[in-house]
Amino acid sequence: MNKSLALLQTYLGKDSSDSISPLMRWLNPTLLHATAGELEFSYLIREEMTNPMHILHGGTTAAIIDDAIGAAVFSLGKPHQYTTVNLAVDYFASAKTGDTIIAKTTIIKNGNQIVNANCEVWNADKTRMIAKGYSNLIKLNPNRS
């Protein structure tokens, strides 16, 4: 097991109030499952995550997907950092204030330069898909600014 995955596994069942990611601290998911390249989080939808209709804002959904995918890449324990180069999200259903949603990430292609991943967002009992996103991330060159 790599160091990154070992660190993530210490957070199983806990919220993300101590995350190194400021966005993840704000989203504050609970880590439910962690293996290399596959993570699952639960999120409680708070009012500040919603739009004027009190349903989960599409931008918040995209942020959940992007942040969860980033954590999945981190779980691989790669020696370099990766950053998102694209993010595509399809929206299927709504979630409202007070609902719990589940985000499940999977690394599809673990390449050296490019990592491809997806994330499915479900309602709490996984009977209704809220959204699905995929992303490509590229390795950062530490010698360039």
Side-chain angles (χ1 to χ4, degrees):
M1 177 184 315
N2 67 64
K3 288 181 182 180
S4 299
L5 180 58
L7 174 64
L8 284 168
Q9 288 184 342
T10 66
Y11 290 97
L12 283 169
K14 298 177 184 173
D15 70 20
S16 298
S17 56
D18 291 333
S19 173
I20 61 171
S21 165
L23 179 61
M24 188 168 276
R25 285 194 306 267
W26 182 79
L27 293 168
N28 200 26
T30 298
L31 183 60
L32 303 176
H33 170 81
T35 58
E38 290 189 9
L39 300 178
E40 191 169 320
F41 297 95
S42 70
Y43 300 78
L44 175 64
I45 305 305
R46 303 183 314 272
E47 184 178 12
E48 63 268 23
M49 301 165 99
T50 65
N51 62 26
M53 296 179 293
H54 303 286
I55 60 174
L56 181 62
H57 191 286
T60 307
T61 306
I64 286 169
I65 290 169
D66 190 48
D67 209 47
I69 286 174
V73 173
F74 177 77
S75 77
L76 298 171
K78 290 177 161 283
H80 295 51
Q81 294 179 332
Y82 287 72
T83 191
T84 303
V85 292
N86 72 316
L87 177 67
V89 180
D90 294 317
Y91 301 92
F92 304 112
S94 62
K96 63 184 185 318
T97 303
D99 286 352
T100 296
I101 60 171
I102 307 294
K104 183 180 186 324
T105 62
T106 306
I107 300 298
I108 305 302
K109 171 75 168 122
N110 181 9
N112 180 42
Q113 292 295 322
I114 300 283
V115 175
N116 177 268
N118 74 20
C119 180
E120 296 177 345
V121 180
W122 294 86
N123 65 342
D125 62 6
K126 296 184 185 176
T127 58
R128 187 172 40 104
M129 186 180 285
I130 306 297
K132 182 174 184 177
Y134 78 90
S135 180
N136 289 296
L137 299 95
I138 192 166
K139 178 168 70 173
L140 294 175
N141 182 344
N143 298 322
R144 298 180 97 184
S145 54

